[in-house]
Amino acid sequence: MRGLATVPSYVVMQPTTLCNLDCAYCYLPFRAADRQMPVAVAEAVAASVNRWASTDRFSVVWHGGEPLAAGRERLAALMAPFGPEVEHHVQTNATLIDDAWCEFFARHRMRVSVSVDGPRERNGERVSRAGRPAYDRIVRGVAALRRHGLPFSALAVVNDPSPGRATELYDYFLDLGCEVLGVNIEETEGVNTRDNAHDAPAVTGFWAELVSAWRRDPRIHLREVEWSLRYAGAVLDGTADDLLPSRLDPIPTVAYDGSVVVLSPELAGFTDPRYGDFSSGSVLTTPLHTILAAAERTPWVGEFIDGVEACRSSCPYFGFCGGGHAANRYFELGRFDGTETEHCRNSKIRLLEGVLEHARDHQSPGA
Ligand code: SF4
């Protein structure tokens, strides 16, 4: 794996910077402001995306702010330039989902992922702008999805990973009825400067327990655990080198104003005296495929690629991790060519160690 691919596997779009919630761990800098994406931005992105989607499966992920805060009419106008073969996904806090939104999702064959952190008492960080808990509204939104028979994924943020939490979390999502679950240990990034250092055995124990909970009833695709098991299987088969793509997926985020930030959506909206606004260009002046063809020349991206090479030569977990995420390096280390971060310890190294701990604990005697 060397350098950036020029064709991404998906594009992230920010229809509005606004979010109707104000979660304590949110990284978004402008979530109280309603800066809306003009249709001209979507048209420019679609000109490249429709080409890519004509030869391969391709997704657009509507992310925020809270994308549903843009309203159905505006979201439909932004989606209209994309061809019928493009798959649309939305990452939402679920609080605005009602029957009308469910009809919208069904009509546009939109795949929905909801953000919820587990049972009510684990959602204390998810609050409205007035500081009121959002949990009841989240659950009402999920109930609407279920009423309409719409499959959905879920994304949970965990801020105190430890054994005991994992079983509770997994059982909750089994009841909630999601098809896929992603588990993010809270990250220090964007405007969230809270410390994310945790006790190593506790985090490893959390992941090990999550594997146990999943293996008891693997009805949900558990993203992180399935990645790790696939990697462990490939190591045993001697095919682990084939798992990483030959070049990094640039995963462009197109901000509301058309500026394009590659690799990490979390960098959009920030500026730095050394790196400027992190943008590789604007789709309002340059086609997206042209921006991506030159994205490696964006100064911070070159520094990040150096960091990935440093990981390759120093970290035994590189074959699984591929070098981590740009935003975690920047917000934790202040630059892009460092290697280990608290994020990669929590969510890559201890994840893999947790899977191994589970395997050791469940080895058959004499094996
Ligand atoms: S686990 Fe951390 S140090 Fe290792 S390859 Fe990933 S980002 Fe780099």
Side-chain angles (χ1 to χ4, degrees), residues 195-207:
D195 187 17
N196 63 340
H198 298 286
D199 177 52
V203 182
T204 303
F206 168 81
W207 289 119

Side-chain angles (χ1 to χ4, degrees), residues 311-312 315 317-318 321-324 329 339-341 344 348-349:
C311 279
R312 185 198 305 278
C315 178
Y317 299 87
F318 181 82
C321 162
R329 288 166 193 244
T339 54
E340 250 188 72
T341 59
C344 76
K348 307 281 184 177
I349 296 173

Side-chain angles (χ1 to χ4, degrees), residues 93-123:
N93 64 33
T95 59
L96 300 172
I97 298 177
D98 57 10
D99 291 337
W101 270 112
C102 289
E103 284 155 19
F104 180 96
F105 299 145
R107 193 162 55 250
H108 293 276
R109 287 179 292 125
M110 200 168 201
R111 297 165 191 227
V112 181
S113 175
V114 301
S115 302
V116 54
D117 297 343
R120 175 187 298 278
E121 57 278 14
R122 303 295 181 192
N123 281 268

Side-chain angles (χ1 to χ4, degrees), residues 159-218:
N159 55 21
D160 60 341
S162 54
R165 278 294 315 276
T167 303
E168 172 198 88
L169 190 78
Y170 188 73
D171 288 349
Y172 174 83
F173 284 99
L174 275 176
D175 284 350
L176 196 71
C178 61
E179 289 193 334
V180 182
L181 173 62
V183 177
N184 285 353
I185 295 185
E186 183 179 335
E187 300 168 39
T188 304
E189 59 186 5
V191 295
N192 179 21
T193 56
R194 305 194 313 187
D195 187 17
N196 63 340
H198 298 286
D199 177 52
V203 182
T204 303
F206 168 81
W207 289 119
E209 188 186 287
L210 197 58
V211 181
S212 297
W214 176 75
R215 288 194 61 200
R216 269 200 305 275
D217 190 351

Side-chain angles (χ1 to χ4, degrees), residues 226-245:
E226 292 185 12
W227 285 343
S228 328
L229 294 176
R230 196 176 318 134
Y231 175 71
V235 170
L236 293 174
D237 289 351
T239 57
D241 288 348
D242 304 336
L243 279 186
L244 289 178

Side-chain angles (χ1 to χ4, degrees), residues 8-30:
S9 58
Y10 63 98
V11 170
V12 180
M13 299 279 280
Q14 184 182 44
T16 172
T17 54
L18 181 70
C19 186
N20 59 325
L21 296 188
D22 194 22
C23 301
Y25 51 66
C26 181
Y27 63 84
L28 288 163
F30 303 121

Side-chain angles (χ1 to χ4, degrees), residues 266-327:
E266 299 85 356
L267 294 168
F270 287 87
T271 54
D272 180 287
R274 284 184 66 214
Y275 308 113
D277 66 359
F278 300 100
S279 158
S280 295
S282 168
V283 295
L284 292 176
T285 54
T286 312
L288 181 58
H289 56 271
T290 307
I291 293 174
L292 295 184
E296 269 185 28
R297 295 205 287 274
T298 311
W300 74 264
V301 176
E303 190 177 294
F304 175 69
I305 291 171
D306 290 346
V308 171
E309 292 308 311
C311 279
R312 185 198 305 278
S313 56
S314 66
C315 178
Y317 299 87
F318 181 82
F320 170 58
C321 162
H325 300 293

